[in-house]
Structure formats: structure tokens, C-alpha cells
Amino acid sequence: MATQLDQITQNLREILLEGEYEPGEALREVAVAERLGVSRTLVRLAMGALEQEGLLNRAPNKGFRVRLFTIDEVAGAIEVRGELEALAARNAAEKGIPKTLQDRLRAILSEAEVLVETGLGDLEARTRWIDLNTAFHAGIVEGAGNQSLGPAIDHICRIPLASPRAIVFDRTQPDRNVEQVRAANADHVQILDAIVNRQGMRAACLIREHAYRSGRNKRTNFDALQQARPLPALPGLALVRRGSSN
Amino acid sequence: MATQLDQITQNLREILLEGEYEPGEALREVAVAERLGVSRTLVRLAMGALEQEGLLNRAPNKGFRVRLFTIDEVAGAIEVRGELEALAARNAAEKGIPKTLQDRLRAILSEAEVLVETGLGDLEARTRWIDLNTAFHAGIVEGAGNQSLGPAIDHICRIPLASPRAIVFDRTQPDRNVEQVRAANADHVQILDAIVNRQGMRAACLIREHAYRSGRNKRTNFDALQQARPLPALPGLALVRRGSSN
DNA sequence: TTGACGCAATATGCATGCAATTTTTGGCGA
DNA sequence: TCGCCAAAAATTGCATGCATATTGCGTCAA
């Protein structure tokens, strides 16, 4: 048990990302404490951490409220992530990445390509692809050899939907999903090629565009989903609403 | 009083940045609580926040330890900051900044130039210049119009010495300081010029180089200072800071 | 009817206390 | 002298309790 606090924080984080509380809603300590079965102190600790992550806002003597994320903020966050990943790709290309990392990334790409041919019909396949996608992006960052870069990207990825892990699958249009994922795979191949060939600028531009496209896909799929079902249950989605009234 | 917690957190943050505790040293709750004159609970809350900021590490059942920053991490953080500010400058240039912001930035540059001519002999002048420098950088970010960018830069700036606010003045060589600051002012003028003329790429490259140079200066001055008087820890000491932002 | 004042209910902010875990210490034997 | 083990001391993890701030409601007056 890695301290109860970590578990509680993770629980509360998931609850928030599930959209169980409305954006702007006040989180009363006692209610949350009872629900999670722990003391108020622990809940307060967890809320403090989530405030740092940006999921909650705190007003002095008025407790914590669920933070509101606008679609523009998400788009901005993805742009920031793209820029940081571009820096990572450029650095990785300029200094060169070790053979072991190359092999790992190639293996990831191979498996991802095989996976897409299955059509991504079942949840397990989609989950696996997301893991591979995440691992690829992490690998690029690892190749950059900049210790500050990883945490910075992690931080920006805490904004709902900003992470490369937060793929929105619109299951009403599976063909489009497959097409998007296939395109992402193709991007990855080009990016790795650029890095291996020490083409820093090319790698940077490719990954920046890759992030941009991913953001656009998210927006498209999200809009489609919201039209089909007013309250989607996918993690993170319910936090995104239009019209920021602060 | 904006809740005691904020004050305690700020106090502890300053204590850590001053380098009063050795990197890697364990922070015992009771000792810190007594020193700050508050309860352990509050200290624990503050430490949790500082862990999120990256100033402390936490090991389960073993409390918090002062995090160690290497010179490479600082260099990496400055590179990240440069990249983010480059994004900000590029966006600001591409979308254009309002006249009011232009005027504010020009006023900042004017005052900074006048200030440098005084030679930055006294602490007050140096502090004022740091404030102006910070305000200029913040203004660029404001002009980008990306809500996620500011927090991302704030986050990376929490690494000691990574912030544009954290200028290292080597008072054993005042002439070199003045030269560096004069060069920084000149950079600022060019950057603003590029933004106003909607030259996104030029602005981005200029500010990236500006960050790079600032990092190099910090290293040079820091090394010189350390040679003059051997310093135990990296954070703090030569760091000229000014009360809490916000 | 409406607005203001005040009291009660409720929620947060912080301190203290207790249990569990870790670290230190002291003693014993090889 | 060194290593090992157990008990004691110290330290963290968490729950509870009290003080203070806020919110909601009822009452009264204009």
C-alpha cells in the first residue's frame, strides 16, 4: 500500500474525470469523505494535490470547486504539447538516439500497424493501441535526453483530453476511427524515420502537425459523440463544456 | 489573510530556495512545524503542494526530502522555457497584439533602458530591472492568447534558476552584469519589433536565442560566484528574488 | 411585497491525539 | 571488532475535535 493518500487522490481524480460532479460545482469535504470512506483530512490533502494538477480551484474559506475546461483551453494545451514534443523530437534527432531505443520504437510501430488491421473492433484492441501510442510518444521524449521535458509534458497532459492517451473513439463511425489511427501510425513512421536520419527540423514539424491533427480529430469525434448522446460516459469528456463563465 | 496555508507554503518555498536545507536532506515535520510556528497538519499540506511543484520528493512512510537539482536539469528547464516562449512569441506575432499591450511593452522597454544607464549599482535598481524583465516576458505570453501557455511556463519556472526572474548577478564583475542586461534589453527590442511586424518565425527564433543566452549567463555567473565563495547547494543564495509573484 | 438584519445551520481551517511504521540504540554472541 | 536482533525512540499517516467563516432562512420593518 503506497500510502492511502495516493489511492484516495487517484480515486478522486477518476471521479472528477468521469464528470460525476458538474463543472463549477463545490466539492464539500464531508460528502466526499463519506463517499470515499476516509477522513476529511485525507480528502483535503487529495484535493490540494488535484488543485495543483489543475482539476480543482480553491477559494479561501470556500473550499474547492470543480474546474471548468473550455474547448479552447484543451486546444491550447494540445498546441503546447505539440510544441514540447517537437522540441523533444528535434533534440532526439540532433543528438541521435541509441539503437536500443530505435528497436523499441520500431517494435511499437510494428505492433500498432498489425493492430489497426484488425479494425479496432473490441475495447481491448483500442486500449492496446492507446498504450502503444503513449509509449511511442514517451519514447521520443526519452530520446531527447532532457530531464525537464518529461515532467513538463506530463503536466500539460493533465488537462483533460490533452494527453496523447486521451483518444476519443467515436464508435458510431468506426471507419473514421480506423482511418484516423492509420494516419497516426503513418505519422509515427515518418517521425521515427526523421529522428533516425538526424533530421531535427523535419521531425519537429512532423510531430507538431501530428499533434495538431490529433487535436482536430478529438474535436470532430467529440462533437459527433455529443450530438449522438448528450452525456457521454467516456472519461474526461463531461468536463468539457462550452461557455466559460469563469 | 488568504488562508494561513498559502503563507506557510510560500515561507517554506523560500526557505527551500534559499538552500537552507541540503539537497537530499529529510524534512522532519515536527522540526519544520516548530520553526514555522504552526501545526504538523499545515506543514504536511504545504509539503504536499511543494512536492507537486517539484521542490520536494516524497517517499511513503518516510516523509519528504529536499529534491536535488543538477545543472543539467536547470539547463534543460531553460531550454523548455525558451521553446514555450517561442511558441508564445510566434502566436502573438501571427495573431497580432492589441495596441494597449504594445504600449505597455514599449513602456517596459523604455524604463529598462533608462535603468541600465544608471549602472545597476544598487539592489533596488537590480530588483526593478528583474521586475521589468518578468513583466516583459509575461506580456509576450499574454499576447499569445493561449490560456494553457501561462500555467505551463509558470510550472517549468518553478525549477530553481529556470525563471526569467531568477537572474544571477555576479557583483564581483559589475561591468559584465551591465553588459548582459544591456544585451537582454536589445533582445527585447528586437523581439517586440518582430511581433509588432507580425514576423512569427523571427520572433520565435529571437526569443529562443534570448533564453539560451540567459541560461549561459546564469551558468557563467554562477560558476564565477561559486569560485569566489564555495557554495554548498545549487538552489538559492546568488539568486536575487523579489517577494511572491501573484 | 420587498429589503435588511440577525441567528442558526453548515462548511471550512487548523490543531491535537493515536496508531502504525521506520529508525536508532543497546546488548549479545561469534 | 563486527554483525545481528530486539526493544525503545522517533517519525510519519490518519482521524477526530474545536474554532472561525460562510450561507441560508426566518423575522421584522418600511
Side-chain angles (χ1 to χ4, degrees):
Chain A
M1 171 161 92
T3 75
Q4 217 169 328
L5 170 59
D6 295 329
Q7 293 180 12
I8 294 299
T9 305
Q10 180 59 22
N11 282 353
L12 190 52
R13 184 186 294 120
E14 285 173 4
I15 287 175
L16 292 173
L17 289 178
E18 298 273 341
E20 246 173 274
Y21 293 89
E22 288 295 310
E25 182 178 352
L27 284 185
R28 276 163 305 128
E29 294 179 357
V30 282
V32 176
E34 280 179 11
R35 160 159 193 181
L36 296 177
V38 293
S39 74
R40 287 200 303 120
T41 302
L42 215 44
V43 169
R44 171 180 292 269
L45 258 327
M47 287 193 191
L50 295 177
E51 184 205 5
Q52 292 290 325
E53 289 188 12
L55 258 50
L56 294 177
N57 281 333
R58 188 168 76 88
N61 292 318
K62 291 170 84 173
F64 296 87
R65 309 190 86 87
V66 179
R67 164 137 173 233
L68 194 87
F69 288 96
T70 67
I71 198 76
D72 288 338
E73 267 177 288
V74 174
I78 290 177
E79 188 177 7
V80 170
R81 171 168 69 83
E83 199 69 19
L84 291 177
E85 289 186 337
L87 172 63
R90 179 156 54 87
N91 280 0
E94 287 176 356
K95 70 193 278 283
I97 61 174
K99 182 79 170 49
T100 55
L101 182 55
Q102 277 186 38
D103 293 341
R104 245 171 57 212
L105 291 174
R106 274 192 229 283
I108 290 171
L109 295 190
S110 300
E111 187 182 343
E113 276 175 30
V114 172
L115 209 57
V116 171
E117 296 316 314
T118 70
L120 297 175
D122 56 337
L123 176 61
E124 197 175 343
R126 290 196 294 274
T127 305
R128 179 64 183 158
W129 190 84
I130 289 178
D131 285 342
L132 291 170
N133 183 48
T134 307
F136 181 80
H137 283 257
I140 303 290
V141 174
E142 179 185 336
N146 181 333
Q147 284 184 292
S148 300
L149 202 39
I153 291 179
D154 286 346
H155 185 255
I156 197 73
C157 284
R158 281 172 178 156
I159 290 178
L161 292 182
S163 163
R165 170 172 288 281
I167 307 274
V168 178
F169 282 104
D170 175 7
R171 285 169 36 181
T172 65
Q173 303 207 18
D175 289 349
R176 189 162 67 186
N177 284 160
V178 172
E179 203 43 55
Q180 290 170 351
V181 169
R182 201 190 303 273
N185 275 353
D187 286 350
H188 289 173
V189 171
Q190 295 302 312
I191 290 165
L192 181 55
D193 181 73
I195 290 175
V196 169
N197 287 313
R198 318 290 290 263
Q199 298 164 316
M201 195 64 188
R202 179 178 164 228
C205 290
L206 283 172
I207 205 166
R208 196 185 281 120
E209 184 66 16
H210 178 64
Y212 177 79
R213 199 163 348 186
S214 126
R216 203 184 42 192
N217 288 344
K218 271 172 201 168
R219 188 162 194 157
T220 305
N221 296 353
F222 181 71
D223 286 349
L225 268 182
Q226 219 173 22
Q227 220 165 13
R229 233 192 319 176
L231 281 180
L234 276 164
L237 294 190
L239 275 176
V240 184
R241 296 268 194 281
R242 308 266 181 153
S244 70
S245 60
N246 199 19
Chain B
M1 164 161 101
T3 74
Q4 216 169 326
L5 171 59
D6 295 329
Q7 294 181 12
I8 295 299
T9 306
Q10 179 61 19
N11 281 353
L12 190 52
R13 185 185 293 121
E14 285 174 5
I15 287 175
L16 292 173
L17 289 176
E18 297 279 339
E20 245 174 275
Y21 292 90
E22 292 292 314
E25 182 177 353
L27 283 185
R28 277 164 303 127
E29 295 179 358
V30 281
V32 175
E34 279 179 12
R35 161 158 191 180
L36 296 177
V38 293
S39 74
R40 286 200 304 122
T41 302
L42 215 44
V43 169
R44 171 179 292 270
L45 259 326
M47 288 198 203
L50 295 177
E51 183 204 5
Q52 292 290 325
E53 290 187 12
L55 257 51
L56 295 177
N57 282 334
R58 186 168 77 89
N61 291 319
K62 292 169 83 174
F64 296 87
R65 307 190 87 87
V66 180
R67 166 140 172 230
L68 189 89
F69 289 97
T70 67
I71 196 77
D72 288 339
E73 266 178 289
V74 173
I78 291 176
E79 189 176 6
V80 170
R81 171 167 69 82
E83 199 69 19
L84 291 177
E85 289 185 339
L87 172 62
R90 179 156 54 86
N91 280 0
E94 288 177 355
K95 70 193 279 285
I97 61 175
K99 183 78 169 53
T100 54
L101 182 56
Q102 277 187 38
D103 293 341
R104 244 172 56 212
L105 291 173
R106 275 193 228 283
I108 289 171
L109 296 189
S110 299
E111 187 182 344
E113 277 176 27
V114 171
L115 208 57
V116 172
E117 295 315 315
T118 69
L120 298 175
D122 56 338
L123 176 62
E124 196 174 344
R126 290 195 295 273
T127 306
R128 179 63 184 159
W129 190 84
I130 288 177
D131 285 343
L132 291 170
N133 183 48
T134 307
F136 181 80
H137 283 255
I140 304 290
V141 175
E142 179 186 335
N146 181 332
Q147 284 184 292
S148 300
L149 202 39
I153 291 179
D154 286 346
H155 185 255
I156 197 72
C157 285
R158 282 173 177 151
I159 290 178
L161 292 181
S163 161
R165 171 174 289 278
I167 307 275
V168 178
F169 282 104
D170 175 7
R171 286 173 36 186
T172 65
Q173 303 208 19
D175 290 349
R176 188 162 67 187
N177 285 160
V178 171
E179 203 43 55
Q180 290 170 350
V181 169
R182 201 191 303 272
N185 275 354
D187 286 351
H188 289 172
V189 171
Q190 296 302 313
I191 290 165
L192 181 55
D193 181 72
I195 290 175
V196 169
N197 288 314
R198 318 291 290 264
Q199 299 164 316
M201 195 63 188
R202 179 179 164 226
C205 290
L206 282 172
I207 206 166
R208 196 185 281 121
E209 185 66 17
H210 178 64
Y212 177 78
R213 200 164 345 185
S214 126
R216 204 184 42 192
N217 288 343
K218 271 173 202 169
R219 187 162 195 158
T220 304
N221 296 353
F222 186 73
D223 286 349
L225 270 181
Q226 218 171 20
Q227 218 165 15
R229 205 191 336 172
L231 309 175
L234 176 66
L237 204 57
L239 219 159
V240 179
R241 277 178 302 97
R242 163 94 167 169
S244 64
S245 48
N246 306 10

